[in-house]
Amino acid sequence: MAIFIAYNYGVLFFVLTSFASLWTKRYHQSVLISGVHYVAIVLGYTVGSPGGARVTDWLWKYLTHKRGQTAPEYRIPLIFPGIVFLIAGLSWYGWTAEAMAP
């Protein structure tokens, strides 16, 4: 679990450090406008964190009720869709970073 979270943090760090230079160098936007793109990341985290927490809590309650006991592993299944979204998001980011601006 710690390795997975460390990998996600590394990916987040890479995206946040390369985001502004992508918009200013590749798409020739001003620094002010390139900073506005961070709003999308903030909105994603603002919606995704509470939403993911609610789904995780619901899944934990469901598995605890179904099996009659609790275990820390009941919080892990939400990682699998996260892996799919991580790979899809990185592919999308790489594809759009390579696309040429008009």
Side-chain angles (χ1 to χ4, degrees):
M1 187 74 172
I3 292 171
F4 178 73
I5 291 172
Y7 178 75
N8 279 339
Y9 180 74
V11 168
L12 174 66
F13 182 77
F14 167 73
V15 170
L16 289 178
T17 56
S18 67
F19 209 55
S21 64
L22 170 71
W23 294 108
T24 56
K25 293 178 183 172
R26 176 66 88 171
Y27 290 101
H28 308 293
Q29 293 181 350
S30 69
V31 175
L32 180 65
I33 296 298
S34 71
V36 174
H37 295 291
Y38 284 100
V39 172
I41 296 173
V42 170
L43 289 175
Y45 274 105
T46 302
V47 171
S49 293
R54 287 184 180 158
V55 171
T56 300
D57 288 345
W58 175 83
L59 188 60
W60 176 79
K61 287 177 188 176
Y62 173 76
L63 291 173
T64 300
H65 178 69
K66 181 178 176 183
R67 300 205 173 128
Q69 63 181 7
T70 186
E73 292 82 14
Y74 293 169
R75 298 194 181 268
I76 292 179
L78 199 58
I79 287 176
F80 299 113
I83 291 171
V84 172
F85 285 127
L86 178 69
I87 293 170
L90 285 177
S91 299
W92 193 2
Y93 182 70
W95 174 61
T96 56
E98 188 62 31
M100 297 301 291

